[in-house]
Amino acid sequence: MPKAYWINTFRSISDEEKLAAYIELAGPAMRAAGGTFLARGLPAQAFESGLLERTTLIEFDSVDAAVAAYHSPAYQEALRALGDGAERDLRIIEAAA
């Protein structure tokens, strides 16, 4: 079964305190669900209509594991902490064969 990648970008952040609360909860939730953080933070460069927005890349053993992490009670708690503090774009993609 191919690995999966969770790609999360923050299109805008309106509340730094809510973001900090989210980060504190989301990191442990992702690791507990089997996720491995590969990259996070602001891009070094952006090209072809890319935006310099906070991005997180997390590896999971499968798409099912990544989706389960999203729906886990621990991650849902992190989302509640974030609330309306940011606008995000989150994708889960299967690794190339």
Side-chain angles (χ1 to χ4, degrees):
M1 182 173 296
K3 300 260 185 193
Y5 297 92
W6 168 301
I7 305 164
N8 182 29
T9 59
F10 287 77
R11 293 185 176 184
S12 66
I13 298 168
S14 58
D15 189 320
E16 293 289 340
E17 288 181 20
K18 288 182 178 181
L19 176 62
Y22 165 82
I23 290 169
E24 189 167 320
L25 295 169
M30 293 295 97
R31 286 187 287 278
T36 300
F37 284 85
L38 300 179
R40 61 181 159 202
L42 292 173
Q45 293 288 318
F47 301 98
E48 300 185 29
S49 300
L51 301 174
L52 294 174
E53 52 194 18
R54 181 180 175 85
T55 303
T56 304
L57 176 62
I58 308 169
E59 182 180 67
F60 285 90
D61 285 339
S62 67
V63 168
D64 289 344
V67 171
Y70 182 86
H71 292 294
S72 71
Y75 188 70
Q76 292 302 304
E77 181 182 353
L79 287 179
R80 284 190 294 279
L82 179 61
D84 63 355
E87 179 185 343
R88 303 174 327 128
D89 178 353
L90 193 153
R91 298 158 194 244
I92 296 171
I93 187 168
E94 189 173 273

